[in-house]
Amino acid sequence: MTIIFGLLSAFSYGYADFVGALAAKRIRAVAATTYSFSVGLVLAIIFSLFIGADYSAQTIQAGALAGIAAAVALSCLYAGLAIGPISIVSPLTAVISAIIPVLVDVASGQELSNFVVIAVVLILIAVVLVGFVPGQNVTLPSPLALAYSVGAGLGFSGIFLFLDSAAADSGLAVLVVMKAVGLVLLIGGLFVLWVRAPKKAFIERIVDYKLAGLLLLAGLGDVLGNVTFLIATRSGALAVAAVLTALYPVGTILLARVFLKERIALSQGAGIVLALGACALLAIG
């Protein structure tokens, strides 16, 4: 269950990041994140009606902290991906987001089999390889893009840790709280930007149906990634769920290759193959 839903989470986050980055090229990253979060909140509430939700004090606290982390993570990620290149920014974010939960899980006493330890290390190496694009003609990320990547990675690691800290029987309550808190913060940030630049369009552009479609897909992918991650971490170790979810750049890069014609280097292909082998090791372990 952890492997299956961890990979589903990676796939959902991967395509959500890709369409979110496309949306962030058309409007400000905070605006794109706010719109996608709005979609995510509505979907989280709908899903919770069927799956269930228990709003205990612990769950509300965990959800609120996850919401703060999510607002930072997605705003930084969309901004970084919009600057690009996607093939480097996305994997760098993923490595940072995976390493911290692994260290916390191990430090808290979680025992991992030898196969799982090897697989975790291989997946982290695979994510690095996926993000390594050698050559003289490669566009390297700017210092600002790197800063956004680090901020996004720290934010995502916070999401993983706080979601994992919620009670296992709380259903999707932690997700609903996370989306609500994150949305409030994002709307506040959007208001600040509007005050500073009142003539710049933030809301009017939503009548662009192509943009609206991208934001809907981003919101759907994000909430599905959250739900499948919750299932994965409640079924097994946080370290395993986190590193599997960190494979999301594979989907992002493949979509960038198909739609944006960003080339896939030999090292990236090797990373993808290594990731598949590591997943097989996880299944054995």
Side-chain angles (χ1 to χ4, degrees), residues 47-130:
F47 291 162
S48 69
L49 296 177
F50 297 95
I51 298 177
D54 179 19
Y55 294 91
S56 65
Q58 176 192 359
T59 298
I60 292 175
Q61 180 182 16
L65 293 173
I68 296 172
V72 173
L74 289 177
S75 294
C76 287
L77 180 63
Y78 286 176
L81 292 175
I83 297 173
I86 290 176
S87 56
I88 295 180
V89 171
S90 183
L92 177 58
T93 298
V95 170
I96 296 173
S97 69
I99 288 177
I100 295 177
V102 169
L103 294 177
V104 171
D105 209 23
V106 173
S108 64
Q110 175 68 49
E111 294 184 2
L112 304 176
S113 69
N114 292 333
F115 278 124
V116 172
V117 171
I118 294 172
V120 166
V121 173
L122 290 179
I123 288 177
L124 292 176
I125 294 173
V127 174
V128 173
L129 286 175
V130 168

Side-chain angles (χ1 to χ4, degrees), residues 208-274:
D208 182 338
Y209 293 112
K210 183 177 181 179
L211 174 61
L214 291 173
L215 294 170
L216 286 171
L217 288 174
L220 176 61
D222 182 50
V223 75
L224 288 178
N226 294 150
V227 172
T228 48
F229 175 79
L230 275 176
I231 297 174
T233 191
R234 288 173 180 175
S235 304
L238 169 63
V240 175
V243 295
L244 286 173
T245 301
L247 288 173
Y248 73 84
V250 173
T252 306
I253 289 172
L254 291 176
L255 289 171
R257 176 67 182 92
V258 173
F259 293 100
L260 302 182
K261 307 304 179 185
E262 290 190 5
R263 76 181 184 90
I264 297 178
L266 180 61
S267 60
Q268 291 179 308
I272 293 173
V273 174
L274 184 61

Side-chain angles (χ1 to χ4, degrees), residues 21-62:
L22 294 180
K25 288 179 181 291
R26 303 163 69 94
I27 56 176
R28 293 220 180 162
V30 175
T33 310
T34 303
Y35 291 135
S36 66
F37 242 67
S38 301
V39 174
L41 175 58
V42 172
L43 291 175
I45 293 173
I46 293 174
F47 291 162
S48 69
L49 296 177
F50 297 95
I51 298 177
D54 179 19
Y55 294 91
S56 65
Q58 176 192 359
T59 298
I60 292 175
Q61 180 182 16

Side-chain angles (χ1 to χ4, degrees), residues 10-26:
F11 173 79
S12 298
Y13 281 135
Y15 100 79
D17 289 348
F18 177 74
V19 294
L22 294 180
K25 288 179 181 291
R26 303 163 69 94

Side-chain angles (χ1 to χ4, degrees), residues 186-197:
L186 289 167
I187 290 175
L190 198 59
F191 178 76
V192 171
L193 289 176
W194 179 79
V195 171
R196 291 183 176 181

